[in-house]
């Protein structure tokens, strides 16, 4: 059988036609693609002879001879030795206070724990001296998170009320708290002081909020009375010292517009209470010792107040935290008074 190419040659000679056989023939359903010239690939323009040795070495090598060690050696030659970062030292643990002053006072514990005349609560006035107050210490040693939260709240209130409206709001809150404390002082001290208060103050929502708490309070020892820690040199003004369900406590009355059902919601109030507990135990003006605390959060709408009782164990847990804040304040005040060297 004659090959196809020989037959085509004979036909071409006899019919004066020339047929050029292509090495391959492509078919397409589109006439447009048939009429277009095939684009050249960029790789076809590369000088194959120039890079033939490189291509031959890559194709012929099946397994790379490089190892991790050789790669590190090449990096050392190209970029120099690797500078290793120092390993960060692990935290040794929580910060421990340097103060060794105890929360309780053994001398008072062994002495008398009752007043000569328990029917008359103590009310020692707050005298001006160089000792910092508990409130000031806590304000000056707030964490960055606490400061940011307070600033955001302030800016949000200013946007809602304006500068003048916010000033009026804070003034109103202060007056409400003042009247609330006056009403409680009158209720817990004597009926004569209670008569001097107007009906609006007595029947306020805050007073109604704490009615169920007042039923559990007895044996009032001090009301709105100043206290100072003779060793640690700080002072404060306590709201009340009385027995709550049979336990002698430093009681702190608070007002709030938002519910605070957990002690964590009261922010630095536990530190304030435990600071008063420690101070009263080291103040010669008070002949008794206190081991517990109580935070009472009253609400303007008259809803039942939340109570947060701090037993002796919980107070002992907060005492080192208060000492740390006191140390921080002392160090901060020392740095501010120290003159800068020239």
């Amino acid at each position: 059988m004659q090959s196809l190419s020989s037959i085509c040659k004979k036909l071409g000679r006899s019919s004066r036609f020339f047929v050029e056989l292509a090495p391959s023939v492509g078919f397409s359903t589109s006439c447009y693609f048939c009429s277009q010239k095939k684009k050249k690939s960029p790789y076809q323009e590369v000088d194959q002879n120039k890079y033939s040795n490189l291509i031959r070495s890559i194709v012929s090598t099946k397994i790379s001879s490089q190892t991790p060690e050789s790669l590190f050696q090449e990096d050392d030659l190209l970029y120099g030795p690797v500078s290793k970062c120092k390993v960060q030292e692990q935290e040794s643990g929580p910060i421990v206070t340097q103060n060794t002053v105890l929360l309780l006072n053994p001398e008072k514990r062994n002495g008398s724990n009752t007043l000569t005349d328990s029917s008359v609560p103590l009310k020692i006035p707050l005298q001006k001296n160089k000792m910092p107050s508990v409130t000031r210490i806590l304000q000056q040693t707030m964490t960055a998170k606490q400061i940011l939260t307070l600033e955001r709240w302030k800016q949000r209130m200013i946007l809602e009320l304006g500068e003048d409206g916010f000033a009026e709001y804070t003034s109103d809150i202060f007056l409400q708290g003042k009247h609330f404390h006056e009403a409680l002082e009158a209720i817990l001290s004597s009926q004569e002081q209670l008569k001097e208060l107007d009906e609006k103050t007595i029947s306020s929502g805050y007073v109604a909020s704490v009615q169920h708490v007042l039923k559990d309070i007895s044996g009032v020892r001090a009301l709105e009375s100043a206290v100072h820690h003779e060793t640690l040199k700080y002072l404060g003004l306590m709201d009340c010292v009385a027995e709550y369900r049979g336990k002698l406590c430093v009681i702190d009355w608070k007002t709030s517009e938002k519910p605070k059902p957990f002690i964590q919601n009261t922010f630095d109030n536990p530190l304030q209470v435990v600071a008063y507990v420690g101070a009263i135990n080291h103040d010669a003006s008070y002949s008794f010792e206190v081991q517990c605390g109580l935070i009472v959060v009253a609400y303007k709408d008259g809803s039942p107040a939340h109570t947060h009782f701090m037993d002796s164990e919980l107070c002992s847990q907060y005492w080192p935290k208060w000492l740390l804040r006191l140390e921080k304040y002392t160090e901060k005040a020392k740095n501010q008074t120290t003159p800068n060297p020239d």
Side-chain angles (χ1 to χ4, degrees), residues 41-61:
S41 172
Y43 294 104
Q44 294 179 355
E45 300 177 358
V46 177
D47 189 351
Q48 300 290 337
N49 295 327
K50 182 178 180 180
Y51 298 100
S52 59
N53 294 332
L54 176 61
I55 295 172
R56 189 180 300 108
S57 62
I58 294 174
V59 174
S60 60
T61 304

Side-chain angles (χ1 to χ4, degrees), residues 210-225:
V210 299
Q211 287 300 318
H212 70 289
V213 182
L214 295 175
K215 296 177 181 179
D216 295 326
I217 292 179
S218 61
V220 180
R221 306 290 183 88
L223 286 171
E224 298 294 332
S225 186

Side-chain angles (χ1 to χ4, degrees), residues 312-331:
S312 58
E313 183 179 355
L314 187 58
C315 286
S316 299
Q317 294 176 10
Y318 276 102
W319 178 246
K321 297 179 181 180
W322 159 249
L323 293 179
L324 286 173
R325 297 286 286 270
L326 180 60
E327 289 178 0
K328 184 178 180 180
Y329 173 84
T330 304
E331 186 67 23

Side-chain angles (χ1 to χ4, degrees), residues 177-195:
K178 181 181 178 181
H179 293 158
F180 173 58
H181 281 78
E182 290 176 350
L184 290 175
E185 183 181 358
I187 293 171
L188 295 172
S189 58
S190 65
Q191 294 296 327
E192 293 182 0
Q193 294 187 16
L194 187 61
K195 293 178 181 179

Side-chain angles (χ1 to χ4, degrees), residues 102-148:
L102 300 177
L103 173 65
L104 305 179
N105 190 343
E107 296 179 1
K108 283 191 176 183
R109 189 182 309 172
N110 298 329
S112 175
N113 197 32
T114 59
L115 293 176
T116 304
D117 186 3
S118 60
S119 62
V120 181
L122 288 175
K123 187 175 182 179
I124 301 174
L126 186 64
Q127 299 178 355
K128 292 183 178 180
N129 52 47
K130 296 182 180 180
M131 291 186 187
S133 66
V134 174
T135 303
R136 178 177 178 82
I137 294 170
L138 292 176
Q139 288 178 346
Q140 294 293 322
T141 57
M142 287 192 299
T143 62
K145 183 178 180 180
Q146 288 176 319
I147 296 174
L148 180 60

